[in-house]
């Protein structure tokens, strides 16, 4: 409205009225944003909080919304992202995969305390799957 040339008093009055009738509710917006972006994009709590702050959401609402994502939920999302991305990296050296997956998780806002153990788990799962396939092939000889 400001860009359209409305006076500050008019903008303030309209926004206050919208808030009174429930059309503007930062708490509801923040919770919905966190749920949607965490589920669809796998973003970390840190990234989600940053996005909400950049949108001008009150820090109390940001903190409350981000708290709805548990540490287990956050780790599970990171693990799913890493597993999905690993599929396109299979066949590369473990060092390259480790570097690329940790980098991808870092861009999603995950710290090394989550990213490195998650990537190591994905690599271990991949080696385990490969070893199982080799064991199965041995039975056919």
């Amino acid at each position: 409205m400001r860009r359209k040339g409305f006076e500050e008093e008019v903008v303030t009055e309209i926004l206050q009225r919208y808030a009174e009738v429930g059309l503007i509710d930062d708490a509801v917006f923040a919770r919905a944003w966190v749920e949607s972006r965490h589920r669809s994009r796998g973003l970390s709590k840190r990234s989600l909080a940053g996005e909400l702050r950049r949108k001008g959401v009150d820090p109390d609402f940001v903190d409350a919304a981000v708290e709805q994502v548990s540490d287990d939920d956050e780790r599970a999302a990171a693990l799913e992202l890493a597993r999905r991305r690993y599929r396109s990296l299979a066949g590369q050296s473990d060092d390259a995969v480790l570097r690329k997956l940790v980098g991808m998780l870092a861009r999603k806002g995950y710290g090394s305390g989550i990213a490195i153990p998650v990537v190591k788990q994905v690599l271990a799962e991949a080696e385990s799957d490969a070893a199982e396939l080799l064991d199965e092939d041995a039975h056919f000889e």
Side-chain angles (χ1 to χ4, degrees):
M1 289 188 278
R2 289 179 184 116
R3 284 183 279 183
K4 295 286 185 179
F6 287 89
E7 293 180 19
E8 189 65 32
E9 296 165 2
V10 173
V11 172
T12 301
E13 187 177 318
I14 290 171
L15 292 176
Q16 285 175 343
R17 181 66 182 137
Y18 281 179
E20 287 172 10
V21 297
L23 293 175
I24 298 175
D25 188 335
D26 279 355
V28 170
F29 170 77
R31 285 192 308 270
W33 183 268
V34 164
E35 208 237 277
S36 172
R37 301 282 285 175
H38 179 69
R39 186 176 23 82
S40 67
R41 306 278 312 248
L43 297 178
S44 71
K45 293 191 278 191
R46 183 174 54 184
S47 287
L48 294 165
E51 286 184 348
L52 288 171
R53 284 189 197 99
R54 284 189 295 279
K55 291 188 171 299
V57 176
D58 182 280
D60 291 336
F61 296 137
V62 170
D63 294 342
V66 169
E67 285 305 311
Q68 75 186 14
V69 178
S70 72
D71 292 343
D72 290 341
D73 291 341
E74 190 173 41
R75 188 177 193 293
L79 187 58
E80 179 57 32
L81 285 169
R83 283 175 177 153
R84 197 174 328 136
R85 178 76 170 106
Y86 176 79
R87 292 181 199 123
S88 67
L89 301 173
Q92 296 183 24
S93 73
D94 284 355
D95 288 343
V97 171
L98 178 73
R99 190 176 60 253
K100 289 176 183 181
L101 290 179
V102 169
M104 179 268 302
L105 291 173
R107 288 186 297 279
K108 296 282 188 177
Y110 293 98
S112 60
I114 290 178
I116 292 172
V118 160
V119 171
K120 286 183 177 180
Q121 180 179 341
V122 169
L123 290 171
E125 290 171 357
E127 288 176 19
S128 159
D129 290 345
E132 286 176 21
L133 287 174
L134 290 174
D135 288 343
E136 288 174 10
D137 287 344
H139 296 293
F140 293 111
E141 292 178 7

